[in-house]
Amino acid sequence: MSDDEIVSDYLEHSRRLAREVIHGDDPYATALYVMGATSEVDVFSTYDHAGGVYVIWGALTDWVELRPHEENLAVQHMVAAAREWLVLDHHDDAAVRRYLDHWHEILGIGGR
């Protein structure tokens, strides 16, 4: 499989997972799948933004794990991040960078 195919497959899979975060029964569990899909070796080595995406979903799931009393707020942020991911033009590098920067700022994450 070519690098372009790997990235295309990942982006399609991530969009399916984002829809599941929004409409599914357990956004937290689905967020873990987003992290897992993003951390796969072939994705991480071919998709330039994989690290930034992974860190966002890691911070969101950590939020639930480390501050369970804030789970509702964390889930609201998961849904918002998923909605923004769905409307993002993934072929526009600057737009993806803005998305990552925006969520890194919201979540208090250092640089990509």
Side-chain angles (χ1 to χ4, degrees), residues 43-92:
V43 172
F44 219 82
S45 64
T46 57
Y47 182 52
D48 291 339
H49 303 296
V53 173
Y54 178 85
V55 169
I56 289 168
W57 290 95
L60 289 166
T61 55
D62 283 354
W63 189 351
V64 172
E65 294 163 10
L66 299 173
R67 296 179 296 204
H69 61 283
E70 295 180 4
E71 181 175 0
N72 288 337
L73 183 59
V75 167
Q76 289 173 13
H77 279 76
M78 288 176 189
V79 169
R83 282 190 174 124
E84 291 177 23
W85 185 253
L86 287 173
V87 298
L88 186 63
D89 178 357
H90 295 98
H91 301 290
D92 181 345

